[in-house]
Amino acid sequence: MALNTDPALQNAVVYSIYVRAHTEEGTFRAIVPDLDRIRALGTDIIWFMPIHPIGVKGKKGSLGCPYANRDYRTVNPAYGTMEDFQQLCDEIHRRGMRVMIDVVYNHTSPDSVLWETHPEFFYKRPDGTPGNHVGDWTDVIDLDYNVPALWDYQIESLCRWAKLVDGFRCDVASFVPVAFWKKARAAVEAVRPGCVWLAESIHRDFAAYCRSIGMYAARDTEAFEAFDMEYEYDVRTVFEKQLKGEAPLSQWTDLLEFQEAVYPENYNKLRFLENHDVPRIASFIPDEGRLANYTAMLFFLKGTTMLYAGQEWENERLPSLFEREPIDRATGRDLTPLLQTLSRIKHENLAPDDAFFARAMDKTDVAVMTRLNGNTKKVGIFSLGGRAVSVELDVPDGSYVNLIDGSRVTVLQGALRCDGKPIIFTLPR
């Protein structure tokens, strides 16, 4: 792990905002009135998807993709001014939350400031024209980290932003040399001590393919040398297969225990049910009872919890990256009370250094998870199928308080009758 990773990040809740989609106005200023509500969810860190100007050349859709960055050192004028963003950061800090911004360091738009001023910083095709390694990313051109001067420029850009923000979510971080990220982390630490670093590591199969065609793609174990947190894409494919009924739940829970066994001490995987690149969880699971179980399980997993704005209202439609599609706040559904309770449990009852265990009852789609620390045992029972079922447990017979709703649950002869609602309780070990 990175030497100065803060273990407390394990208990943090990150709330992801796409400025274009978050409000009807789609601006920095329009977010300020929503900050108290976001904080009340139990949020510790707000992560803004890219806030920089978007390229025009080769853009996708009518507005272009925020990950086709035109200028690393300023903000998208459609969102507001640098002063507006400064005010937004100040308001977030005033409420006790931290700010993380997205940095897209693998590529830029074809009409970026860097291409215009430093074409030598870019990957070139055999004919000398700029290109990219991933064919369907047609609106970007790749940077070339074999050029030392590029490192200096990018690190200087990070240090500038670190005077304002508290962390960086690094897009497709696996494609950028780990050595660069380690150097950048050291430089930023002098400007913003305790800066938070989140890597968008990539899916296992995609990483393997990229390496097979000669691309650089860092392994998750390597990236942890520079980052505090990484995406859980190493197990995401199996999770989605389970959602679709194409893989047993036990295949996923086995991988969770594999993570616990092979990653460094204090490893931290960002845990999410959805993000801007994958379908909304409510599109898989429209049933609120089942969704409550998946949501409770999300918070019980070891690692930082991430919510994507709109998840609290059970949005089923994923906002387009290329158009302006505001999130739907009028669904008539609201997970806010549950999210607030789960955030409190995460902050007060779960510990960063818990040992984590998971098993599955495949016939009934029940996940049973245990966290152990010192003299305390924490048990989570999640009926992902939403069914009532009897669950065998290695805990003493007795009555326990379900921390989610305050009800009593009873273990009798080594079994607990789950009524289909999520359960979390603690007991002496």
Side-chain angles (χ1 to χ4, degrees):
M1 290 297 299
L3 294 177
N4 55 345
T5 290
D6 182 1
L9 288 170
Q10 292 273 357
N11 288 60
V13 176
V14 175
Y15 187 87
S16 175
I17 290 179
Y18 184 15
V19 176
R20 180 189 287 171
H22 195 70
T23 62
E24 289 294 330
E25 299 85 353
T27 64
F28 295 134
R29 286 182 176 272
I31 293 170
V32 174
D34 200 29
L35 292 178
D36 287 336
R37 183 195 64 84
I38 293 170
R39 178 57 172 152
L41 289 174
T43 301
D44 301 291
I45 301 171
I46 292 179
W47 152 32
F48 290 106
M49 290 166 55
I51 59 171
H52 307 295
I54 296 170
V56 175
K57 184 177 181 180
K59 73 178 182 181
K60 294 182 177 180
S62 63
L63 297 176
C65 178
Y67 291 92
N69 187 332
R70 190 171 189 276
D71 187 351
Y72 288 114
R73 296 185 173 181
T74 187
V75 298
N76 186 343
Y79 295 170
T81 65
M82 279 293 293
E83 291 72 23
D84 293 336
F85 185 65
Q86 170 75 67
Q87 180 186 10
L88 176 57
C89 290
D90 290 344
E91 292 293 336
I92 292 169
H93 289 147
R94 190 166 67 82
R95 289 163 174 81
M97 295 181 286
R98 287 186 278 183
V99 181
M100 176 185 294
I101 62 169
D102 224 312
V103 291
V104 187
Y105 269 23
N106 176 66
H107 49 257
T108 75
S109 69
D111 53 351
S112 68
V113 169
L114 266 190
W115 172 249
E116 294 168 357
T117 58
H118 291 284
E120 71 277 12
F121 287 178
F122 288 80
Y123 159 76
K124 307 293 195 314
R125 299 186 184 100
D127 64 1
T129 58
N132 68 73
H133 294 85
V134 181
D136 62 345
W137 296 358
T138 56
D139 56 343
V140 297
I141 53 177
D142 285 358
L143 292 160
D144 182 359
Y145 280 85
N146 292 309
V147 181
L150 172 61
W151 291 38
D152 297 334
Y153 182 92
Q154 298 291 62
I155 290 172
E156 182 183 345
S157 299
L158 288 167
C159 288
R160 290 188 184 191
W161 285 107
K163 296 175 182 178
L164 190 60
V165 304
D166 311 286
F168 300 105
R169 180 267 188 190
C170 303
D171 187 64
V172 287
S174 306
F175 288 166
V176 177
V178 171
F180 166 81
W181 293 122
K182 292 173 73 173
K183 185 175 182 180
R185 183 183 181 116
V188 167
E189 188 68 16
V191 178
R192 176 72 65 170
C195 182
V196 179
W197 294 83
L198 165 62
E200 185 201 20
S201 46
I202 58 179
H203 291 77
R204 285 181 299 159
D205 53 351
F206 184 39
Y209 167 75
C210 291
R211 295 185 197 109
S212 75
I213 62 172
M215 287 179 60
Y216 174 88
R219 289 167 171 79
D220 286 10
T221 48
E222 297 166 333
F224 266 133
E225 296 175 16
F227 288 93
D228 302 304
M229 302 179 281
E230 292 181 357
Y231 269 43
E232 59 169 8
Y233 277 160
D234 54 330
V235 300
R236 178 74 192 189
T237 300
V238 173
F239 178 73
E240 290 189 356
K241 286 182 177 180
Q242 183 274 324
L243 286 175
K244 299 172 184 176
E246 298 171 358
L249 179 62
S250 59
Q251 188 175 343
W252 180 65
T253 56
D254 285 350
L255 285 174
L256 294 177
E257 290 203 338
F258 185 75
Q259 287 180 326
E260 184 78 354
V262 301
Y263 285 124
E265 186 177 4
N266 194 30
Y267 80 97
N268 188 344
K269 283 287 184 176
L270 184 73
R271 305 297 183 179
F272 50 84
L273 296 177
E274 61 185 58
N275 64 43
H276 65 270
D277 280 326
V278 301
R280 292 281 198 182
I281 189 65
S283 70
F284 286 113
I285 308 169
D287 178 78
E288 285 197 304
R290 294 182 61 208
L291 187 57
N293 276 277
Y294 273 93
T295 303
M297 182 177 69
L298 168 69
F299 279 78
F300 195 80
L301 291 171
K302 190 172 181 178
T304 300
T305 300
M306 195 275 280
L307 303 172
Y308 185 34
Q311 187 172 340
E312 61 267 56
W313 295 295
E314 303 177 38
N315 279 201
E316 296 184 17
R317 179 182 55 80
L318 194 67
S320 168
L321 286 178
F322 319 126
E323 309 293 344
R324 203 174 73 79
E325 297 179 353
I327 56 178
D328 185 359
R329 299 168 183 254
T331 61
R333 302 184 296 274
D334 192 354
L335 289 172
T336 293
L338 177 62
L339 296 175
Q340 291 172 327
T341 296
L342 294 171
S343 180
R344 176 182 51 77
I345 293 171
K346 185 175 187 71
H347 287 106
E348 296 178 3
N349 299 99
L350 307 179
D353 58 346
D354 284 344
F356 178 85
F357 303 90
R359 64 181 175 90
M361 299 168 56
D362 283 331
K363 291 183 179 180
T364 52
D365 279 336
V366 173
V368 181
M369 298 180 179
T370 306
R371 298 177 63 144
L372 303 176
N373 191 298
N375 296 319
T376 305
K377 185 172 187 175
K378 305 118 186 199
V379 179
I381 301 168
F382 310 105
S383 180
L384 304 183
R387 294 185 288 270
V389 64
S390 180
V391 180
E392 293 184 0
L393 292 176
D394 183 20
V395 302
D397 286 0
S399 177
Y400 302 94
V401 176
N402 183 357
L403 297 177
I404 297 176
D405 60 11
S407 64
R408 285 276 176 179
V409 294
T410 301
V411 177
L412 182 63
Q413 296 181 344
L416 180 151
R417 183 67 182 175
C418 167
D419 64 1
K421 296 178 181 178
I423 297 169
I424 298 175
F425 65 91
T426 65
L427 68 155
R429 186 177 176 182

